[in-house]
């Protein structure tokens, strides 16, 4: 009987290398929430070959934007050797620790795969395949073949703002959009 505890944990990042000589660590994030790496407090460390993450204190963290990395400081990791020993470890949080979302916020993973419909006509536009974080998030929607007038255009980017995507219904797996005229043709 496999006792798979992985459902109880979310991986938020992977330690890829020491940073400098004072025990700081470079972490490649797999979480969209910067506070996971910047707000001090308890995190869990999963060492390779182990199945149970161990609690550890995050003391500080900062984002290095041009490398898409965080540099973090963990309690008890004082020098480069101790940091090197953690290379390849995963940073975890309990799965129950998803950040609380405001009512108009969504987890990115919840949006991928939703079908997008024109609110006025009910016409199927396509399926969300990705979310692109810009100033406003953009939904990348793979166009349904009946909707794609220009066959070369496979996807369209739709600003994920209330004015354009007023209805997001996770339960029924749909987003309704009210795009201004021309929005769906802008990518040609």
């Amino acid at each position: 009987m496999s006792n798979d505890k992985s459902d109880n944990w979310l991986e938020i990042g992977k330690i890829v290398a020491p940073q400098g000589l004072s025990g700081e660590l470079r972490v490649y994030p797999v979480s969209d929430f910067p506070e996971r790496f910047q707000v001090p407090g308890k995190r869990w460390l999963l060492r390779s070959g182990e199945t149970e993450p161990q609690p550890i204190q995050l003391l500080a963290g900062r984002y290095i934007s041009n490398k898409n990395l965080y540099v973090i400081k963990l309690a008890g990791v004082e020098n480069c050797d101790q940091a090197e020993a953690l290379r390849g470890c995963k940073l975890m949080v309990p799965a129950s620790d998803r950040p609380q979302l405001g009512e108009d916020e969504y987890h990115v993973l919840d949006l991928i795969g939703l079908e997008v419909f024109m609110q006025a006509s009910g016409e199927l536009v396509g399926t969300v395949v990705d979310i692109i974080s810009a100033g406003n998030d953009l939904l990348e929607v793979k166009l349904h073949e009946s909707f794609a007038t220009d066959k070369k255009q496979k996807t369209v980017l739709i600003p994920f703002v209330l004015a354009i995507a007023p209805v997001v219904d996770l339960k029924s797996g749909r987003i309704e959009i009210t795009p201004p005229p021309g929005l769906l043709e802008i990518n040609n």
Side-chain angles (χ1 to χ4, degrees):
M1 158 178 159
S2 80
N3 187 1
D4 184 11
K5 296 228 173 69
S6 62
D7 292 353
N8 303 335
W9 295 95
L10 286 177
E11 180 182 346
I12 57 169
K14 183 170 183 177
I15 296 174
V16 288
Q19 165 88 10
L21 300 174
S22 63
E24 288 187 317
L25 299 154
R26 291 179 171 210
V27 175
Y28 181 73
V30 291
S31 162
D32 290 332
F33 299 103
E35 60 267 28
R36 300 230 195 253
F37 309 99
Q38 293 173 333
V39 177
K42 200 174 192 184
R43 302 296 185 278
W44 283 260
L45 197 61
L46 183 63
R47 298 169 194 267
S48 44
E50 296 189 0
T51 52
E52 279 296 304
Q54 303 302 318
I56 193 153
Q57 285 292 328
L58 176 73
L59 301 178
R62 61 187 188 276
Y63 184 57
I64 315 280
S65 59
N66 58 349
K67 296 203 165 72
N68 188 28
L69 285 170
Y70 287 89
V71 172
I72 63 166
K73 179 81 175 130
L74 295 174
V77 183
E78 310 286 332
N79 59 45
C80 193
D81 290 345
Q82 289 172 324
E84 180 63 52
L86 299 179
R87 185 191 289 262
C89 293
K90 293 176 177 176
L91 271 183
M92 317 286 279
V93 292
S96 56
D97 182 40
R98 291 177 88 160
Q100 289 303 304
L101 299 178
E103 60 187 63
D104 289 334
E105 294 181 294
Y106 302 92
H107 285 286
V108 169
L109 296 174
D110 293 339
L111 297 174
I112 291 177
L114 295 188
E115 294 193 314
V116 178
F117 295 88
M118 295 294 262
Q119 190 170 42
S121 65
E123 189 178 1
L124 174 61
V125 178
T127 307
V128 178
V129 289
D130 200 5
I131 283 89
I132 295 162
S133 292
N136 278 319
D137 287 341
L138 296 168
L139 298 175
E140 184 178 353
V141 176
K142 183 173 188 292
L143 292 173
H144 190 263
E145 53 230 23
S146 65
F147 197 86
T149 41
D150 174 0
K151 294 299 176 217
K152 290 192 290 296
Q153 185 179 348
K154 297 277 190 276
T155 62
V156 64
L157 295 176
I158 297 174
F160 188 50
V161 293
L162 199 58
I164 295 176
V167 176
V168 177
D169 186 341
L170 294 179
K171 286 193 185 62
S172 61
R174 62 188 285 140
I175 295 176
E176 293 176 14
I177 59 170
T178 52
L183 175 78
L184 297 177
E185 285 86 54
I186 51 178
N187 301 2
N188 297 352

